[in-house]
Amino acid sequence: MTPLTIALYNGKGGCGKTTLAWNVAMGLARRESTLLVDADPQGSLGDWVNWADSEGHFAIAFNDWATFCAGGQGDHRYRVYDCPPRLGEDEIQAVLGQADVVLLPVLPSPLDLWASRRSAELLQDLQERRPALRAYFVLNQVEAHSALSRASQSAIAAMGLPVLPVRIARRAVYRSAALEGVSVYHMGKRAIAAMDEIERLIEEILK
Ligand SMILES: Nc1ncnc2c1ncn2[C@@H]1O[C@H](COP(=O)(O)OP(=O)(O)O)[C@@H](O)[C@H]1O
Ligand SMILES: [Mg+2]
């Protein structure tokens, strides 16, 4: 079966790629077999996931990029790529060239949005060559009950990538889950809202 490949990408660091890749992969793994790939040639997620590999009942596998490229692709329904901020031209082609869905996490501030502009352009270039590629902004670390500012709205409109309707809130539980080496699916009652928004994100991906 051809896997559905989802990449978390943004040339800007600190916008939530790793957090969302990890939690989305865990949510997908509750459905079907999932491979989480650290697309960072430096392999930062790797050390951490190996240490964290405690969610035993999830069918999640993990590979770093080198192993993945050397045939460690396995037979999975879903692949989730956590992309590093710095990818060279060739690496971008290699990593994003095979993605079905690219999610570009952004913080909902005009500054952060503009800082993601080059990444959004790059995705639009890829889409010109491959119209089947789906690419979206995902607003992350959104303050509860806050509306998007005018400036943010116009930055988004200027960049021409659609925004997914689900917004990921700023929640301490994303950090504490990461500190404990688990996903929000393992944090019990205090993570219900986080789990719910990750589930809605997954539903958008699977549409
Ligand atoms: N929705 C969120 N709520 C609270 N903290 C978050 C959220 N998303 C990310 N973070 C925190 O922000 C920091 C950067 O996130 P990370 O996923 O490492 O970004 P990236 O991989 O894009 O560099 C981390 O400390 C992470 O725990
Ligand atoms: Mg990261």
Side-chain angles (χ1 to χ4, degrees):
M1 191 197 307
T2 329
L4 182 78
T5 300
I6 302 120
L8 278 292
Y9 171 74
N10 190 337
K12 189 180 175 306
C15 52
K17 295 179 289 294
T18 300
T19 303
L20 294 181
W22 167 249
N23 285 292
V24 162
M26 282 299 178
L28 286 170
R30 287 158 45 109
R31 295 165 165 79
E32 285 185 71
S33 149
T34 300
L35 176 69
L36 175 62
V37 181
D38 186 356
D40 188 347
Q42 320 289 327
S44 54
L45 183 65
D47 307 333
W48 185 65
V49 172
N50 287 334
W51 165 76
D53 100 299
S54 48
E55 301 192 39
H57 62 280
F58 294 121
I60 193 161
F62 175 78
N63 264 328
D64 61 38
W65 189 244
T67 314
F68 179 76
C69 292
Q73 310 190 341
D75 185 19
H76 301 278
R77 179 69 190 92
Y78 303 116
R79 289 176 182 167
V80 180
Y81 294 173
D82 177 25
C83 298
R86 300 274 166 268
L87 281 177
E89 270 298 305
D90 296 351
E91 290 170 329
I92 285 174
Q93 290 307 327
V95 175
L96 298 182
Q98 15 167 321
D100 299 296
V101 183
V102 181
L103 302 179
L104 212 147
V106 280
L107 307 194
S109 83
L111 272 183
D112 276 282
L113 281 158
W114 287 117
S116 307
R117 186 178 194 169
R118 281 200 52 208
S119 303
E121 282 170 2
L122 190 143
L123 290 176
Q124 285 170 315
D125 288 349
L126 288 178
Q127 282 182 314
E128 267 175 32
R129 276 174 271 165
R130 200 154 56 85
L133 173 67
R134 297 159 60 205
Y136 311 98
F137 283 123
V138 179
L139 294 171
N140 184 31
Q141 301 210 32
V142 179
E143 298 295 344
H145 313 299
S146 75
L148 265 195
S149 72
R150 272 260 186 88
S152 295
Q153 289 181 26
S154 50
I156 288 174
M159 283 187 275
L161 272 193
V163 188
L164 286 183
V166 49
R167 296 176 181 184
I168 308 297
R170 184 197 296 277
R171 299 181 196 278
V173 74
Y174 284 107
R175 286 168 198 261
S176 23
L179 286 173
E180 291 178 30
V182 297
S183 72
V184 292
Y185 292 93
H186 261 210
M187 297 295 284
K189 273 196 183 142
R190 63 190 157 138
I192 286 175
M195 242 160 50
D196 182 62
E197 64 198 9
I198 295 293
E199 281 295 304
R200 279 184 288 137
L201 177 55
I202 289 173
E203 276 157 28
E204 292 291 337
I205 294 167
L206 298 182
K207 262 184 188 169

